[in-house]
Amino acid sequence: MSTPQYVAPESLEDALRIKSESGADARLVAGGTDLILRMRDRVFTPKLLLDLRRVPLTAISCTAGEMRIGSYATLSQILAHDEIANLFPALVEACRPFAGPPIRNRATIGGNIVNASPAADLVPPLMAYDANIVLSSISGDRELPLAEFFTGPGQTVIEPDEILTEVRLPLMPPDSAASFIKLGQRRSMAISIVNLCTRLSLAADGTVATARIVLGAVAPTPLRAVAAEAVLAGNDITTALLDEAAQQASRESMPISDVRASGSYRKRMTAVLVRRALSAAWGELGRNNSNG
Ligand SMILES: Cc1cc2nc3c(=O)[nH]c(=O)nc-3n(C[C@H](O)[C@H](O)[C@H](O)COP(=O)(O)OP(=O)(O)OC[C@H]3O[C@@H](n4cnc5c(N)ncnc54)[C@H](O)[C@@H]3O)c2cc1C
């Protein structure tokens, strides 16, 4: 393998132009925590490494109706951000057991998404909060739901001339609560055996207006358990309803067996953990209501 060229442009315009000219021959470098391993294993053999460290893509801001997170924002930045902690606590929960501090200081939200691991820890909370992503090219920007981004392990709909520039999270309606759970072989520095996030948003009459159940590491891509969500939508929450939704989510999972766990264990744990996450979200809503 020949040594790739390295370029660190000063502006997004320059980066987009280089990406447009080089296409799939150019690989973005963000934190490099996935990329370097894939290059070592010859999964990727880029001719050009395009490092955007000089391009301002790390900003986090809350504007009318949404939170915007630059694709080069690191896990440590997200963990330290008070507004994200207040508005999107399940995203922060997913950052806590993520690797250790040295990796969290380098790893970015954009890298976690574009790497497209079925076990990526930030994706279930982002999808549970209905995140959109912005893909930029010299032709302009396109915004799409994160849920439509993944097509298979390591596979996405990103075009060779595109760069992921921003993640956008709509502000949640009142009476919303979400819960993230990660099951690994250890508490941290472990790839998830199952990870998931559930969100409940209640209508004024107390029924479920919106339910999100997003499963990781149990299918070729992060997976919304839409039939399980439908069990909850429009209904009053009862323990029996939560049980039913958890069982349905497990039926929707399609896990494989690998070195970390068997498929049947993952399926059983999906039911257990979805039930636990739904209970946590429901408990949170109860506390919010009794405070209000
Ligand atoms: C020791 C260790 C522990 C880890 N623990 C966890 C964990 O607990 N949970 C977890 O989910 N992951 C974990 N990972 C995996 C990895 O750290 C994360 O996926 C991380 O978020 C990747 O981000 P990065 O900035 O390092 O991406 P990079 O490695 O720089 O890039 C990853 C891929 O995305 C592409 N890319 C990056 N940014 C963009 C962009 N803006 N636009 C277009 N393409 C882009 C790159 O070209 C590359 O193909 C771990 C990795 C290591 C080495």
Side-chain angles (χ1 to χ4, degrees):
M1 183 180 69
S2 57
T3 308
Q5 280 186 297
Y6 172 88
V7 58
E10 302 274 353
S11 70
L12 182 59
E13 290 68 31
D14 284 349
L16 293 174
R17 185 183 44 73
I18 295 167
K19 198 78 179 88
S20 147
E21 289 162 3
S22 311
D25 286 340
R27 279 267 160 202
L28 266 282
V29 187
T33 60
D34 278 318
L35 180 66
I36 298 303
L37 299 181
R38 291 193 169 218
M39 287 177 62
R40 184 199 62 189
D41 298 341
R42 308 275 167 96
V43 179
F44 295 154
T45 52
K47 295 199 172 113
L48 180 68
L49 292 175
L50 184 55
D51 189 336
L52 302 197
R53 69 179 60 202
R54 294 183 181 155
V55 177
L57 285 176
T58 58
I60 301 176
S61 64
C62 199
T63 56
E66 67 183 6
M67 173 74 72
R68 296 182 170 196
I69 306 177
S71 61
Y72 269 54
T74 63
L75 276 283
S76 296
Q77 252 184 288
I78 294 169
L79 260 173
H81 201 278
D82 290 342
E83 241 173 343
I84 297 182
N86 282 336
L87 298 170
F88 303 102
L91 180 59
V92 172
E93 284 311 308
C95 293
R96 274 189 226 290
F98 193 112
I103 295 282
R104 290 200 294 266
N105 287 341
R106 293 201 60 87
T108 64
I109 186 170
N112 197 242
I113 292 170
V114 179
N115 188 54
S117 161
D121 281 327
L122 300 194
V123 175
L126 290 172
M127 277 172 54
Y129 287 128
D130 290 340
N132 278 0
I133 54 172
V134 179
L135 299 175
S136 304
S137 71
I138 49 166
S139 322
D141 292 347
R142 63 176 174 130
E143 182 169 340
L144 71 156
L146 178 58
E148 295 173 11
F149 185 61
F150 305 102
T151 54
Q155 303 295 319
T156 72
V157 300
I158 197 166
E159 296 291 342
D161 65 342
E162 286 180 323
I163 293 174
L164 170 60
T165 46
E166 199 166 67
V167 178
R168 295 181 178 167
L169 291 157
L171 299 188
M172 291 294 107
D175 285 335
S176 294
S179 175
F180 170 83
I181 297 181
K182 168 173 179 156
L183 173 68
Q185 284 169 325
R186 296 177 295 274
R187 280 172 90 80
S188 65
M189 295 300 281
I191 296 175
S192 291
I193 292 171
V194 177
N195 60 14
L196 55 89
C197 188
T198 65
R199 171 169 67 92
L200 297 171
S201 295
L202 300 186
D205 64 0
T207 58
V208 176
T210 306
R212 291 285 179 267
I213 300 175
V214 187
L215 311 175
V218 294
T221 65
L223 176 76
R224 256 186 72 190
V226 287
E229 292 173 1
V231 167
L232 298 165
N235 289 313
D236 284 317
I237 296 176
T238 61
T239 54
L241 193 75
L242 297 186
D243 288 341
E244 194 187 332
Q247 292 301 329
Q248 177 56 42
S250 173
R251 282 193 288 276
E252 284 175 79
S253 68
M254 302 171 272
I256 56 164
S257 299
D258 63 16
V259 287
R260 280 178 286 281
S262 69
S264 60
Y265 175 71
R266 285 188 158 103
K267 221 170 181 37
R268 282 202 307 280
M269 290 315 291
T270 298
V272 171
L273 299 177
V274 167
R275 180 66 174 80
R276 203 173 286 169
L278 286 171
S279 289
W282 188 28
E284 181 71 24
L285 286 167
R287 271 198 298 282
N288 288 343
N289 287 337
S290 61
N291 289 342

